């Protein structure tokens, strides 16, 4: 009798696979919002740093925009005149959305935060201005309650990871919308204000227990016992580290921006889902495939698809009837 081949333990899912489905939805939604003969939406992108990863992201964004019916205008500017350039774009009716590539001042987050607030609410495709962030952290999903026609914008990379988790069926569609991660334990290794902390909040607001890890330690984001709270709460886990949280985690998400860091494979539980959103590989690829059930080595192209999704939502929000689509 011929021996049966043992199936591979780990399924590797590429960002392209997830992005293609999202881009199809984006094109359909754009036609609904603007009609079949509507003008091509215009995205202005500001590059004021020398980060090769940002330049690569801009190239991918340009290609994806042009392939899907959007105009992409990359504006390379000196950081000292960036504020004025953004104000000009805010006032330009030909510009539908604005993206800025961060960090601009790597050692001064306050200056980056100031630039985030310079982008007009109606053109903030990244969802990084105060109104959008306030809504996200407080689990408020609309800009115009109680009418609830204009959806708030969520940050692109955190939302891309949410969309990846939906694609991987980590979200449970049987549960009520907003509770579909109940029972899941997720570790996010990154607590930056742009990516890691918003991601932890989004996942916790959807019902997960989220361990947020950075160099200062571990915090747990949760809606409490039985997810009875309307929004997440944050508690410090004194003395905890990766050794404590990884063995508990159904999903491990790496976003550490250095090639020196690797998630300790031996601490990952058998059958966990592992997702990397850093521009560096936070996981040892061959080793993690022996442990994980699903491995997503990068997320960048999903982030670009979400960027366009957000841009269509901004256009819909400017229309009198707003936008009630999810």
């Amino acid at each position: 009798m011929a021996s049966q081949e043992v199936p591979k333990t780990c399924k590797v899912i590429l960002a392209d696979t997830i992005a293609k489905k999202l881009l199809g939805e984006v094109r359909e939604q754009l036609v609904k919002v603007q009609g079949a003969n509507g003008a091509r939406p215009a995205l202005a992108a500001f590059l004021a740093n020398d980060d090769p990863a940002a330049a690569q992201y801009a190239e991918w964004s340009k290609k994806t925009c042009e392939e899907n019916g959007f105009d992409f205008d990359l504006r390379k500017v000196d950081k000292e005149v960036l504020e004025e350039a953004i104000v000009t774009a805010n006032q330009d009716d030909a510009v539908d959305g604005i993206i800025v590539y961060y960090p601009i001042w790597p050692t001064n987050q306050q200056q980056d935060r100031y630039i985030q607030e310079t982008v007009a609410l109606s053109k903030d495709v990244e969802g990084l201005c105060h109104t959008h962030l306030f809504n996200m952290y407080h689990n408020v999903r609309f800009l115009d309650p109680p009418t609830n026609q204009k959806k708030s914008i969520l940050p692109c990379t955190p939302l891309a990871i949410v969309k990846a988790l939906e694609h991987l069926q980590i979200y449970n569609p049987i549960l009520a919308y907003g509770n579909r991660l109940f029972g899941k334990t997720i570790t996010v290794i990154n607590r930056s204000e742009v990516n890691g902390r918003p991601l932890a909040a989004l996942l916790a607001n959807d019902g997960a227990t989220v361990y947020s890890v950075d160099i200062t330690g571990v915090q747990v984001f949760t809606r409490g016992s039985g997810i009875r709270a309307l929004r997440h709460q944050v508690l410090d886990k004194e003395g905890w580290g990766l050794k404590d949280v990884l063995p508990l985690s159904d999903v491990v998400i790496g976003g550490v921006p250095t090639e020196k860091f690797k998630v300790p494979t031996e601490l990952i539980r058998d059958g966990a889902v592992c997702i990397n959103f850093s521009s560096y590989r936070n996981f040892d690829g061959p080793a993690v495939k022996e442990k994980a059930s699903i491995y997503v080595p990068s997320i960048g192209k999903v982030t670009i698809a979400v960027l366009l999704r957000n841009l269509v939502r901004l256009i819909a929000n400017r229309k009198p009837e707003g936008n009630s689509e999810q």
Side-chain angles (χ1 to χ4, degrees):
M1 181 182 291
S3 61
Q4 289 186 322
E5 185 178 346
V6 177
K8 291 182 179 179
T9 305
C10 181
K11 181 76 171 177
V12 177
I13 304 294
L14 300 180
D16 267 338
T17 303
I18 305 168
K20 282 178 183 176
K21 181 175 181 290
L22 275 174
L23 288 170
E25 294 171 0
V26 166
R27 290 190 296 270
E28 289 177 6
Q29 188 61 24
L30 181 60
V31 171
K32 287 182 183 178
V33 169
Q34 288 198 314
N37 299 313
R40 289 168 66 94
L43 179 63
F46 290 93
L47 183 61
N49 62 34
D50 298 319
D51 183 2
Q56 178 68 69
Y57 182 47
E59 275 301 310
W60 286 346
S61 299
K62 177 180 174 64
K63 182 174 184 292
T64 305
C65 279
E66 292 174 348
E67 288 175 348
N68 289 276
F70 297 78
D71 288 335
F72 180 86
D73 182 9
L74 180 61
R75 305 180 183 187
K76 297 180 180 180
V77 298
D78 186 275
K79 63 180 68 174
E80 299 306 325
V81 298
L82 177 60
E83 180 183 8
E84 289 79 4
I86 292 173
V87 170
T88 299
N90 284 341
Q91 298 168 347
D92 185 353
D93 290 340
V95 173
D96 293 296
I98 295 170
I99 179 175
V100 181
Y101 296 104
Y102 299 99
I104 303 160
W105 289 273
T107 59
N108 191 336
Q109 289 189 359
Q110 288 301 316
Q111 282 184 282
D112 278 8
R113 190 78 199 99
Y114 178 78
I115 291 297
Q116 289 169 18
E117 288 299 323
T118 304
V119 178
L121 176 69
S122 63
K123 298 189 179 184
D124 179 18
V125 77
E126 297 179 277
L128 293 177
C129 69
H130 178 264
T131 298
H132 290 313
L133 289 176
F134 176 92
N135 283 359
M136 180 197 64
Y137 284 122
H138 288 79
N139 207 12
V140 176
R141 309 208 174 204
F142 293 90
L143 292 169
D144 60 339
T147 307
N148 292 346
Q149 292 294 307
K150 300 177 186 291
K151 292 278 286 189
S152 197
I153 302 297
L154 296 171
C156 293
T157 297
L159 181 55
I161 294 167
V162 167
K163 291 300 175 184
L165 291 172
E166 288 179 348
H167 179 88
L168 300 174
Q169 300 179 17
I170 305 303
Y171 276 72
N172 185 347
I174 295 174
L175 298 179
Y177 181 70
N179 289 347
R180 291 178 176 173
L181 288 178
F182 184 41
K184 301 295 184 185
T185 299
I186 302 174
T187 288
V188 178
I189 311 172
N190 175 302
R191 198 157 59 241
S192 71
E193 292 300 319
V194 174
N195 291 320
R197 187 164 168 257
L199 175 58
L202 280 176
L203 299 176
N205 282 343
D206 280 341
T209 296
V210 183
Y211 292 107
S212 172
V213 183
D214 73 355
I215 57 172
T216 66
V218 176
Q219 293 180 331
V220 60
F221 289 56
T222 175
R223 279 170 52 199
S225 177
I227 58 170
R228 292 185 179 88
L230 293 177
R231 54 165 292 205
H232 73 280
Q233 303 159 345
V234 183
L235 296 172
D236 289 315
K237 301 295 288 185
E238 296 291 343
W240 280 44
L242 289 175
K243 66 180 183 355
D244 302 290
V245 299
L246 290 182
L248 303 175
S249 299
D250 303 297
V251 180
V252 180
I253 302 171
V256 180
T258 174
E259 59 185 343
K260 295 179 181 178
F261 175 80
K262 288 287 186 288
V263 178
T265 306
E266 68 277 7
L267 296 177
I268 298 172
R269 63 184 291 184
D270 284 350
V273 172
C274 295
I275 300 175
N276 179 70
F277 75 85
S278 171
S279 54
Y280 301 95
R281 294 295 172 92
N282 281 181
F283 295 91
D284 180 340
V288 80
K289 290 174 192 176
E290 298 297 321
K291 213 66 180 296
S293 60
I294 299 173
Y295 174 45
V296 182
S298 68
I299 210 76
K301 293 185 179 180
V302 185
T303 302
I304 297 168
V306 165
L307 180 75
L308 298 187
R309 181 181 183 272
N310 280 356
L311 181 54
V312 173
R313 181 155 289 164
L314 287 177
I315 295 168
N317 282 352
R318 289 202 292 271
K319 293 184 176 295
E321 67 274 16
N323 175 29
S324 60
E325 296 289 331
Q326 294 300 325

